[in-house]
Amino acid sequence: MIEFDWLIHYRCNYKCYYCFFSEHWDYVEKKNIRLPYTKWVEAWKRIHNKYGDIKIIITGGEPAIFPNFQELLVELNKFAEISFDTNLSYSQEKLEQLVSKLDCSKLFIGASFHPIFADLDDFVKKIEILQKYNVNCRVHYVTHPNQLRQMPKVKETFLSKNVRFTPIPFRGMFNGRQYPESFTKEEEEIIYGVTKDIAEIDKKWADVQVEQTDSKGKLCRAGQLYARVDCDGTVYPCGHDFKETGGDYLIGNILKEDFSMRTEPIVCKHTKCPCEFRWIVNEK
């Protein structure tokens, strides 16, 4: 199976101050393109026909406010595994309408709880709707220093509902310091205190986000078995390459009929790998 991480658009109804794009929304929103959702379905169907089983991981921005998002998911769900991140800011009725139309055996939802915007009780009720339809889901929580001390209590709320919970280590600048490198010992103890009680797969992912895997000089299958897709269809091997242009940093565009993935792994040029470490050859 090939996995694609698709940044569907640069648009969000929350605008969290700790978001990757918090100081760049005016710039990145200019990258958004308007295409009928059917054009995207055609492109992904073409990829499926060429490579077989695929998994499409939809991120943003907030994917759920993408035009015709429900119709898009219904069509993609017919031939691909679908995962999408969402802040669940829409109504309980709209959420139920969405998941009731999908094959939930091929669906994963990463539900991001943002305490500066969301009400915990309402968020829990929405998670219970996902459980009603047997949706594989997980709650995400950004470990920004301003909300780090609330996290253990929030974690207990969701674990008591048998819902997976994963801290998302804050990455960015805060008070003149770069994170995650600048987490204090006390803050790391809070993060690791939470991750020790969660599912092993989620613990591994969260811990690597903080520690970051050495990747430079190692063979990596990003670009072969995995890729990042920008909102205009441009395809990059990984998240680091997403910041670059041309050469080895660019694979092509999925909207073009001749698009192809790499046929073999290449040597990584980056020092640290925060996300795609599992595509490093022989990395567990």
Side-chain angles (χ1 to χ4, degrees):
M1 177 182 290
I2 298 179
E3 294 188 11
F4 295 90
D5 202 331
W6 180 24
L7 199 158
I8 193 170
H9 67 171
Y10 295 93
R11 189 169 290 118
C12 187
N13 57 325
Y14 272 8
K15 300 291 197 300
C16 300
Y17 62 82
Y18 45 73
C19 178
F20 298 126
F21 309 122
S22 62
E23 298 179 3
H24 310 288
W25 280 113
D26 289 343
Y27 167 73
V28 297
E29 285 182 343
K30 294 176 183 177
K31 299 178 68 175
N32 291 325
I33 64 171
R34 286 288 186 136
L35 289 177
Y37 79 92
T38 52
K39 290 293 184 182
W40 291 110
V41 175
E42 290 172 9
W44 287 115
K45 182 66 174 177
R46 192 163 54 243
I47 299 297
H48 165 71
N49 290 340
K50 185 170 186 174
Y51 291 107
D53 292 342
I54 60 173
K55 180 176 182 179
I56 305 171
I57 305 162
I58 304 174
T59 65
E62 169 53 46
I65 64 174
F66 186 79
N68 299 105
F69 185 64
Q70 178 171 305
E71 293 85 351
L72 175 68
L73 282 190
V74 168
E75 293 303 314
L76 296 180
N77 192 223
K78 293 177 181 178
F79 58 85
E81 286 192 24
I82 300 298
S83 168
F84 70 93
D85 296 334
T86 176
N87 56 32
L88 293 182
S89 55
Y90 32 100
S91 68
Q92 296 175 33
E93 292 75 20
K94 184 175 180 180
L95 176 63
E96 184 152 14
Q97 181 186 52
L98 173 64
V99 297
S100 66
K101 297 180 182 295
L102 299 173
D103 176 358
C104 294
S105 68
K106 298 192 297 180
L107 177 66
F108 175 86
I109 293 179
S112 298
F113 177 65
H114 299 282
I116 59 175
F117 289 107
D119 175 77
L120 182 58
D121 291 338
D122 178 65
F123 200 91
V124 168
K125 289 176 182 177
K126 291 172 181 175
I127 293 296
E128 289 172 344
I129 291 173
L130 299 181
Q131 291 179 313
K132 172 183 174 182
Y133 287 90
N134 295 314
V135 175
N136 184 11
C137 65
R138 178 175 69 190
V139 172
H140 297 157
Y141 188 100
V142 178
T143 63
H144 189 277
N146 282 351
Q147 60 187 37
L148 194 55
R149 284 162 181 76
Q150 300 167 249
M151 185 172 65
K153 182 178 180 180
V154 174
K155 177 207 71 173
E156 292 302 328
T157 297
F158 291 107
L159 291 190
S160 70
K161 300 286 184 180
N162 294 316
V163 178
R164 291 165 61 189
F165 181 90
T166 302
I168 306 296
F170 168 62
R171 296 205 298 266
M173 293 293 294
F174 176 63
N175 285 344
R177 297 189 296 173
Q178 182 68 39
Y179 287 80
E181 295 87 347
S182 296
F183 281 121
T184 66
K185 181 176 176 59
E186 178 186 3
E187 289 168 339
E188 287 188 348
E189 286 176 353
I190 294 174
I191 296 171
Y192 290 128
V194 166
T195 60
K196 70 181 178 61
D197 295 328
I198 63 178
E200 185 61 31
I201 187 172
D202 300 328
K203 178 181 184 299
K204 168 72 172 176
W205 188 88
D207 289 352
V208 167
Q209 289 270 310
V210 175
E211 298 162 4
Q212 303 194 25
T213 300
D214 293 326
S215 56
K216 190 169 186 178
K218 296 180 180 179
L219 279 177
C220 183
R221 297 190 186 280
Q224 178 190 15
L225 300 180
Y226 168 89
R228 288 280 187 105
V229 183
D230 206 355
C231 65
D232 62 354
T234 304
V235 182
Y236 303 84
C238 75
H240 274 313
D241 296 333
F242 206 57
K243 306 170 186 176
E244 309 289 346
T245 57
D248 292 338
Y249 298 110
L250 183 64
I251 301 177
N253 192 300
I254 66 162
L255 295 173
K256 295 184 178 181
E257 294 188 6
D258 62 352
F259 171 77
S260 293
M261 296 286 284
R262 289 175 177 162
T263 58
E264 58 186 20
I266 68 168
V267 175
C268 179
K269 299 178 180 180
H270 306 292
T271 303
K272 294 287 185 179
C273 179
C275 296
E276 288 85 13
F277 63 92
R278 63 197 179 98
W279 304 113
I280 298 173
V281 176
N282 297 324
E283 185 75 29
K284 295 183 179 180

